[in-house]
Amino acid sequence: MRKGNPLPQSALLFRHVKMSLERVLMRHGGMPVVIPTMLPKCPGSEDDDNKVHFMDHGGLIVALPHNMRVPFARYIARRSDVVSLRRYAIEKVYRSRKVFGCHPRELHECAFDIVCSNHQSALTHTAELLHIGSEVVAEFSQLQARGYSIRIGHTGLLQSLLMHCGVPENKWSQVLESLRTVQSSSKAHLQQELDAANLGDQAVALLTQFYEVEDNFAKVSSMYRFVVRQKGPAAALARQALHDLEAMLQSSSALAFQLPVTIVPCLVCDERMYSGIVFEIACQSHRKTRRQGRDLLAVGGRYDKLVASFAVAGAKRDLAAVGISFSVEKIVQALAEDGETPSLVECVLGNIGDMSIAMRDQQLALLVRLWNMDVPAVMAPQDGIEEAAYFCKENFVPHLALLKEPEPGYLRLRIIEKDRFTEKRLSVSELCEFFDKAPQTESPRQEFNSSGPTLRIVFSVVEKISTSNRRRYESQIATQLAPLAQGHLGRVPVLDVIAVELTGDVLRSSVALLNMEADGRSYENSATGLVEKHPRYKKQLLLLTEKVYSLIFEIKRTIFVLYALQDNNYKVVIVPSRT
């Protein structure tokens, strides 16, 4: 019976996701801050059945963290020396189960928060958080394929509607709960919920109308003219909300988001936590259920009032705080569904035949040499080829180096790829050169930063490509596009690259035939004509035109590159700005 010590796939994926998230967050100046795990029971928390409470030996009711934001808000509110801080945390949060006596659910949440004393700067920081969300999606190709978008709202937009319609403040919570619970339901269902709250015909009609609004800022701003033109607190609140959104979106345009952005007036987040701009990163749920809703990857927003609520009596804490929280489990699940698992180890050292003391010493010396090169390597837990190969398979290790007694100084290197492997005979020095040139398992993908622009590479392929081929293509594309950094594109901060399984001739024909300067309908008509002209490449062209449409009409890119994988040709596409 084969024996090994395989690590669970989820643990490997979690480690990979955590390292990738930390790499993104540290790029934005984030630092881990240790805060108390438990906090006293907060007023109003008794209404939340998800929170986990228990009593300490002195009779004090304390709570485990339900999210990473509330404990951090309490921490900075009671630290007078905190006036500016960027922190990140990837920790467990706890949710109670409805079944009495069961262990609470343990989930991992990744939070990034920016605290400052300048409230105007907080709008720019909010735009930065949205860019971080876009970076996280770009970090994992599995998330890119799901079609995530950024949905932005403002608590002032919804509250101004309620005030304009004369909805009493004691019914706001009921209305918000109705909007939250029916966000995936029909318009008729919402109308029934609002009618049950006895809001009046005008309020029900107006909220039902705005419930489905999800558009650009200009369209939403024009819809609020009837409120803004009035006098009173509702108009002032709406004007301030629109001003905040406009200022934040101006900063966002300079940051060049990868994800499409829409304004959602009726976006409802936890009103006890957020005040001001709120947002979520979501896509349509892929689960096969009767009720198709949105799949939330991240939520966030401003929480100045939450910080102020935790201030010690008599102390004034006028801080601006904004944060974003990611569901780590959802990222891990997306990677698990894709079927690829990153390895914890890059190479396993095994042996062929019996192991002598001299061979063991040679194996240990090679192990130390690999460690000194920062190559994650381990010894096979048991002697023999089958045992070592089984260990590699169970732990997703891509390389197996086998030493043999009659061949001192030489070894056989197996490069494992799913159920296949290739084998080559190398000297010890050649093995070290191989790992010195090869990209490591945890190296960043899809971004190549040099003196020129950062490349964001998206593969538009019919069949899934392996990890090793993906890395080879990425390195190849980065080398081919390096001369662009010397020209006018060197000033572009981020350059999107769509890699397709086409020849350079078909690629150039595609650029010539696609009507990228007109509206979306004209573009789609030209895309149909392109497919008809090249029926042999129908699948590839359908994927290509879909990616190009997203870049031009949703993400609003004006410069990008199309790369032909078959003959390493590329075409720089420049589209006139539509703003």
Side-chain angles (χ1 to χ4, degrees):
M1 180 179 178
R2 291 172 175 161
K3 294 183 180 180
N5 185 27
L7 292 172
Q9 182 189 29
S10 59
L12 294 173
L13 290 172
F14 177 80
R15 173 183 176 272
H16 171 66
V17 170
K18 183 178 180 181
M19 292 181 67
S20 300
L21 290 173
E22 287 181 334
R23 184 167 58 244
V24 171
L25 301 180
M26 286 191 291
R27 202 157 55 214
H28 290 264
M31 59 178 292
V33 177
V34 179
I35 60 175
T37 302
M38 294 177 288
L39 68 160
K41 186 177 180 180
C42 303
S45 61
E46 58 273 0
D47 298 332
D48 195 338
D49 296 333
N50 281 328
K51 292 186 177 179
V52 180
H53 297 97
F54 60 93
M55 183 184 295
D56 68 2
H57 67 281
L60 177 67
I61 302 296
V62 294
L64 290 174
H66 177 262
N67 56 59
M68 302 304 300
R69 188 129 299 118
V70 173
F72 180 69
R74 185 176 185 271
Y75 172 81
I76 60 176
R78 304 193 173 208
R79 292 287 299 267
S80 59
D81 56 336
V82 176
V83 292
S84 178
L85 181 63
R86 288 170 174 258
R87 78 101 189 205
Y88 76 85
I90 304 176
E91 302 290 346
K92 283 185 178 180
V93 294
Y94 301 86
R95 312 284 165 81
S96 64
R97 300 180 186 270
K98 294 183 179 180
V99 180
F100 180 76
C102 288
H103 191 281
R105 287 190 302 154
E106 299 181 11
L107 305 172
H108 285 89
E109 181 178 304
C110 172
F112 186 85
D113 299 86
I114 303 177
V115 181
C116 66
S117 56
N118 187 335
H119 287 258
Q120 194 62 30
S121 298
L123 296 174
T124 304
H125 294 155
T126 305
E128 183 180 354
L129 292 186
L130 297 179
H131 192 274
I132 290 175
S134 180
E135 287 182 61
V136 169
V137 173
E139 189 76 15
F140 305 97
S141 59
Q142 296 84 354
L143 297 182
Q144 294 180 43
R146 298 197 171 195
Y148 280 99
S149 64
I150 300 175
R151 308 173 75 242
I152 306 175
H154 196 294
T155 56
L157 290 181
L158 189 51
Q159 290 174 4
S160 64
L161 283 180
L162 298 176
M163 295 170 67
H164 179 79
C165 297
V167 178
E169 194 168 345
N170 59 359
K171 289 189 176 182
W172 285 10
S173 297
Q174 185 179 357
V175 174
L176 295 177
E177 184 61 28
S178 298
L179 290 171
R180 183 185 294 110
T181 55
V182 301
Q183 279 192 358
S184 303
S185 301
S186 64
K187 197 173 181 179
H189 185 195
L190 173 64
Q191 191 167 356
Q192 292 176 1
E193 291 283 335
L194 297 177
D195 285 335
N198 297 320
L199 300 182
D201 294 340
Q202 181 190 6
V204 172
L206 195 60
L207 289 172
T208 305
Q209 176 189 352
F210 275 80
Y211 163 69
E212 294 182 333
V213 174
E214 186 169 343
D215 216 314
N216 56 45
F217 175 77
K219 181 67 177 295
V220 173
S221 180
S222 65
M223 295 183 67
Y224 268 82
R225 286 176 184 169
F226 74 98
V227 179
V228 174
R229 289 175 178 175
Q230 304 294 324
K231 294 182 179 180
L237 191 59
R239 280 194 293 268
Q240 183 61 47
L242 292 172
H243 173 269
D244 290 348
L245 288 171
E246 185 177 22
M248 189 272 295
L249 290 173
Q250 285 178 350
S251 299
S252 301
S253 62
L255 292 174
F257 283 171
Q258 183 77 2
L259 299 180
V261 177
T262 54
I263 306 299
V264 186
C266 288
L267 180 63
V268 180
C269 291
D270 191 344
E271 66 277 6
R272 293 169 297 185
M273 185 183 306
Y274 297 109
S275 55
I277 294 178
V278 293
F279 56 84
E280 64 182 27
I281 300 177
C283 68
Q284 286 300 118
S285 177
H286 296 272
R287 299 174 184 174
K288 296 181 179 180
T289 59
R290 293 179 59 187
R291 183 178 175 181
Q292 294 291 330
R294 283 186 296 274
D295 189 6
L296 292 182
L297 175 68
V299 295
R302 290 280 295 271
Y303 56 99
D304 307 0
K305 292 183 179 179
L306 179 66
V307 175
S309 68
F310 283 114
V312 179
K316 186 177 180 181
R317 298 291 285 151
D318 187 21
L319 294 175
V322 60
I324 185 172
S325 296
F326 297 91
S327 171
V328 178
E329 270 77 12
K330 288 190 177 179
I331 303 177
V332 171
Q333 182 182 2
L335 269 63
E337 291 175 358
D338 188 59
E340 287 193 17
T341 303
S343 174
L344 186 67
V345 176
E346 191 70 27
C347 182
V348 169
L349 300 185
N351 63 285
I352 301 174
D354 296 331
M355 175 72 73
S356 65
I357 296 177
M359 183 185 292
R360 178 68 67 183
D361 292 342
Q362 181 183 352
Q363 203 174 43
L364 291 173
L366 177 57
L367 190 64
V368 172
R369 192 168 175 180
L370 292 175
W371 289 343
N372 291 336
M373 295 171 58
D374 288 331
V375 177
V378 297
M379 301 274 286
Q382 288 182 307
D383 293 340
I385 300 178
E386 289 189 8
E387 286 72 14
Y390 179 74
F391 180 83
C392 290
K393 179 181 178 181
E394 291 297 306
N395 291 278
F396 311 98
V397 181
H399 301 100
L400 171 61
L402 298 168
L403 284 77
K404 191 175 181 180
E405 185 71 40
E407 300 178 352
Y410 285 86
L411 49 84
R412 297 185 181 276
L413 177 65
R414 283 191 180 184
I415 303 174
I416 305 168
E417 190 173 314
K418 293 186 178 179
D419 296 330
R420 300 177 300 172
F421 69 86
T422 57
E423 190 171 292
K424 58 177 71 175
R425 185 174 181 269
L426 301 174
S427 66
V428 172
S429 299
E430 289 172 337
L431 177 72
C432 294
E433 290 179 6
F434 172 83
F435 282 113
D436 190 41
K437 295 178 181 179
Q440 297 301 310
T441 304
E442 292 295 343
S443 62
R445 299 180 188 175
Q446 300 175 333
E447 292 193 7
F448 300 87
N449 202 353
S450 61
S451 58
T454 297
L455 301 184
R456 284 184 179 164
I457 303 173
V458 176
F459 290 92
S460 179
V461 293
V462 177
E463 295 184 0
K464 181 181 173 182
I465 58 177
S466 64
T467 303
S468 59
N469 285 337
R470 179 186 291 270
R471 293 175 185 169
R472 178 169 59 84
Y473 283 139
E474 288 171 349
S475 178
Q476 187 174 289
I477 293 171
T479 303
Q480 287 286 101
L481 300 184
L484 294 179
Q486 308 301 324
H488 65 283
L489 292 183
R491 297 188 297 271
V492 178
V494 178
L495 185 61
D496 292 278
V497 181
I498 303 177
V500 292
E501 296 173 308
L502 297 172
T503 63
D505 292 337
V506 178
L507 196 68
R508 285 187 287 271
S509 174
S510 302
V511 174
L513 292 176
L514 286 176
N515 191 354
M516 304 182 193
E517 300 181 9
D519 56 11
R521 179 168 296 182
S522 300
Y523 172 86
E524 291 175 353
N525 292 336
S526 66
T528 303
L530 172 63
V531 174
E532 291 175 353
K533 183 173 181 179
H534 300 284
R536 179 182 175 185
Y537 302 101
K538 179 179 179 180
K539 292 182 179 179
Q540 292 89 337
L541 290 174
L542 287 175
L543 291 172
L544 171 63
T545 54
E546 182 180 340
K547 296 287 186 184
V548 172
Y549 181 92
S550 177
L551 276 180
I552 297 176
F553 297 98
E554 295 178 359
I555 305 176
K556 310 297 184 184
R557 286 289 190 268
T558 57
I559 300 177
F560 57 92
V561 175
L562 301 181
Y563 191 94
L565 294 174
Q566 291 190 8
D567 55 9
N568 296 324
N569 279 307
Y570 64 87
K571 179 71 175 176
V572 179
V573 181
I574 301 178
V575 183
S577 176
R578 299 174 182 276
T579 56

